[in-house]
Amino acid sequence: MRRYLSIVSLMLFFLLIVLGFITPQVLNPLPDSWDIIILLLLLLGSFLTALFSKNGLLKIIALIISSIGMLVLLVLTLNAIGIMIFGNFGT
């Protein structure tokens, strides 16, 4: 079962890209908080399934792709915390 987790991880990340950027109108009927929760769960699920998959080239590719998403999430979170603490200096 672990050998298929990297494929599942790539599919989850592809679904995240499709729902978040290509066809975001699919999530429009939901409240904004549900949109964010669904996208975060897809990103975290993609990262965790890549992390626990069987060793190999596909695991490395899945980890790199999902780690980039996690890095973007970390930067956005730190930016939001910085704005909350220090205020917005740009405007």
Side-chain angles (χ1 to χ4, degrees):
M1 181 65 186
R2 284 184 57 190
R3 62 180 166 175
Y4 299 116
L5 285 180
S6 51
I7 296 171
V8 170
S9 172
L10 290 174
M11 288 173 49
L12 284 173
F13 197 78
F14 178 72
L15 186 62
L16 170 77
I17 297 293
V18 168
L19 287 178
F21 301 107
I22 297 175
T23 58
Q25 66 269 16
V26 172
L27 298 175
N28 280 344
L30 297 173
D32 287 338
S33 60
W34 282 99
D35 293 353
I36 295 169
I37 290 171
I38 288 172
L39 293 176
L40 286 176
L41 285 176
L42 284 173
L43 181 62
L44 290 173
S46 172
F47 181 73
L48 290 176
T49 54
L51 191 64
F52 292 116
S53 65
K54 190 175 178 183
N55 290 339
L57 182 62
L58 200 56
K59 176 182 180 169
I60 294 170
I61 293 170
L63 267 175
I64 289 172
I65 290 173
S66 60
S67 295
I68 290 171
M70 292 298 285
L71 182 63
V72 168
L73 179 65
L74 178 68
V75 167
L76 289 175
T77 304
L78 291 176
N79 186 21
I81 291 172
I83 289 173
M84 284 178 10
I85 292 174
F86 301 112
N88 194 357
F89 291 120
T91 58

